[in-house]
Amino acid sequence: MAPEGPATGRAGRTDLADSVRPIRSTPTADQRSDPEGPSSAMPANRPSHQGKADNPRRSTPVSTNPSKTKMKTTTPTAAELSRMAVTEARERFAIRQEADRQARETAEELVARLVRGDDTPTAADLSLADYAAKRTGLLVKAAEAKVKAAERAQLNDDTELAELFRPILADVYGGRVPVVVTGIPAEAKPGNDGDPLLFIVQPKPTHTAGGVLSGMVELVFFRPDLFAPLDVGKVEQQCWALGYTVQPHQLGTSPAGKMHRDGLRLTVHRASYPVPILSAAPSGDAVRDFALTVNGDLQQSVRTASKPPAITGEPVARRASSKLTGRRVVSSVPGDDGEVRVTVETTHEVTPGAGLPDGYANERLRQAVGQMDGQVADGVGRVVAAGALSITMPDLARPDFAQQAWTVRTRFILTYRPH
């Protein structure tokens, strides 16, 4: 008998929906008796297998979209490759050091056993251990040399510190000299047009701690005859105005074709952004260190010159002193601009030096607090507001009035930007 064909519509066309019929396989006897096996009859109250947890044997579909499975590869830069070489050399050096330590301990142990009268170690054992220690020692020296060579060849692409000096050098020359920042000393070359060109070279990565940047930069100035040499004093003055602490080294000048080459190395001890960047919120230790700095400035402000006793037993004049008695973070408020404003209050017991009038002492204390404005407190931020909340003198009626300490309460507002 011929198989039944698909149904046709009124126009004689085949209805595709009717022609596609689900194919059902007849379950075997084992499948009918197996409660875990497939069944064509499902209980009405049993949900269909829609979730992944309902059928753990169901395989996860694999995406055939190549855009989702294709791995992206990036080629390391020359600086990254040089850092990898340094890391590998240091790791090899550490392995060599550990092997040398073990070899020396083995040789020393054999000698110690012989000293104790143990004749088990043979001459061959002793000789082998000795030569093994010499071998590992030579390998350590070779690995150390490779570390130094890799560090010398390392290319630096961290120019964060040098970038802070770009506007400083631009101001020194009034914007008339192009300023180029680079981490590779070999790139500091004069231009082909004979115009002045200033490079800021940072050969090593920036060291950052508590929002304070430090490191070393070298200024390389290529200039024609009409330009004066690099003005070291003006560079220092600009750095000081920004609160940077720098140590300039000797300025060197040499010919560079038709140009002159001025080279100045700067050791940067402290530099920072206008709003310091912190990797974490101010810690209790950082706030304490800031309060101790304030305490030291208060003591320094009320010091007076005093002569040492002329004879034994002569009373010693009162010396200035200051004691930190309290500190606290009043508030820490994030702003819409991404900055965080921290309010810190401190309390001190201050004793002015002998001979300092009370009016002058009060004024000096307030000036010492106000001069903190603009300074950067490591791990806390930059002071944007500073003032003395109160300065309380001891009771004048007390007979020991001159020996009593003053109570000074201060308030500071600092700002920082989270990393």
Side-chain angles (χ1 to χ4, degrees):
M1 181 176 179
E4 183 179 351
T8 58
R10 282 189 292 267
R13 295 177 300 174
T14 302
D15 191 341
L16 184 61
D18 294 337
S19 65
V20 179
R21 298 180 179 180
I23 301 176
R24 297 178 180 271
S25 60
T26 305
T28 63
D30 293 338
Q31 291 173 333
R32 285 194 297 267
S33 61
D34 183 6
E36 299 297 330
S39 175
S40 59
M42 295 177 59
N45 60 348
R46 182 176 178 180
S48 61
H49 296 293
Q50 299 295 331
K52 294 181 179 179
D54 292 335
N55 190 354
R57 291 177 291 183
R58 173 178 292 179
S59 60
T60 303
V62 179
S63 174
T64 58
N65 187 350
S67 63
K68 295 183 179 180
T69 58
K70 184 178 181 180
M71 299 296 293
K72 294 183 179 180
T73 59
T74 57
T75 303
T77 64
E80 291 172 341
L81 290 174
S82 66
R83 283 197 297 270
M84 292 167 59
V86 171
T87 301
E88 183 179 352
R90 289 173 178 171
E91 291 176 351
R92 176 63 63 181
F93 179 50
I95 294 174
R96 296 300 192 200
Q97 283 183 314
E98 177 62 20
D100 182 58
R101 183 190 65 80
Q102 295 179 4
R104 292 182 182 278
E105 288 182 354
T106 300
E108 291 171 359
E109 176 62 22
L110 290 177
V111 173
R113 289 169 60 184
L114 291 171
V115 171
R116 293 195 301 266
D118 183 359
D119 60 355
T120 304
T122 65
D125 294 336
L126 190 63
S127 178
L128 181 61
D130 186 39
Y131 278 108
K134 290 181 179 179
R135 174 182 177 273
T136 55
L138 294 174
L139 290 175
V140 166
K141 292 182 179 180
E144 184 178 12
K146 290 182 178 180
V147 170
K148 294 180 179 180
E151 290 176 344
R152 287 193 299 268
Q154 182 176 359
L155 301 178
N156 178 45
D157 57 357
D158 175 7
T159 58
E160 183 179 13
L161 182 61
E163 288 290 351
L164 286 180
F165 283 81
R166 186 196 291 269
I168 295 177
L169 274 301
D171 290 342
V172 167
Y173 288 97
R176 297 187 301 273
V177 176
V179 179
V180 181
V181 171
T182 179
I184 303 175
E187 293 183 354
K189 298 178 180 180
N192 297 325
D193 51 8
D195 291 336
L197 185 60
L198 179 59
F199 287 88
I200 306 176
V201 183
Q202 183 182 339
K204 299 294 181 182
T206 307
H207 180 265
T208 306
V212 177
L213 283 65
S214 60
M216 191 272 290
V217 297
E218 184 176 3
L219 309 182
V220 181
F221 183 33
F222 294 101
R223 57 181 175 85
D225 293 333
L226 296 179
F227 270 73
L230 189 63
D231 192 339
V232 181
K234 199 167 185 179
V235 172
E236 278 191 284
Q237 185 179 4
Q238 292 277 7
C239 292
W240 180 83
L242 292 174
Y244 295 0
T245 304
V246 300
Q247 177 185 351
H249 298 266
Q250 184 68 32
L251 175 66
T253 301
S254 60
K258 297 181 179 181
M259 308 281 284
H260 299 279
R261 181 190 186 277
D262 296 336
L264 176 65
R265 180 172 296 183
L266 294 177
T267 299
V268 184
H269 298 289
R270 291 181 66 87
S272 60
Y273 291 102
V275 179
I277 300 176
L278 302 183
S279 58
S283 64
D285 290 343
V287 174
R288 179 203 60 196
D289 292 342
F290 169 66
L292 288 174
T293 300
V294 176
N295 190 73
D297 289 350
L298 292 176
Q299 179 177 339
Q300 184 65 29
S301 68
V302 293
R303 277 185 174 177
T304 56
S306 58
K307 296 181 179 180
I311 59 176
T312 304
E314 182 179 358
V316 179
R318 185 182 72 240
R319 296 181 178 178
S321 65
S322 182
K323 179 182 178 182
L324 176 65
T325 59
R327 65 184 184 277
R328 70 188 185 104
V329 176
V330 178
S331 63
S332 180
V333 182
D336 297 335
D337 54 359
E339 300 178 9
V340 179
R341 298 173 71 88
V342 181
T343 302
V344 178
E345 292 183 358
T346 65
T347 307
H348 312 262
E349 292 183 358
V350 182
T351 302
L356 184 64
D358 296 342
Y360 284 123
N362 192 305
E363 182 180 355
R364 289 185 180 182
L365 289 171
R366 294 185 183 277
Q367 287 179 351
V369 176
Q371 289 174 355
M372 295 293 296
D373 191 8
Q375 296 189 23
V376 175
D378 295 17
V380 184
R382 185 182 296 275
V383 179
V384 295
L389 293 176
S390 63
I391 299 179
T392 306
M393 297 177 58
D395 187 3
L396 296 175
R398 295 186 55 167
D400 58 348
F401 160 78
Q403 305 299 326
Q404 297 300 310
W406 300 20
T407 302
V408 180
R409 294 181 60 243
T410 67
R411 174 178 291 174
F412 302 92
I413 299 177
L414 304 94
T415 182
Y416 74 92
R417 189 181 301 275
H419 188 271

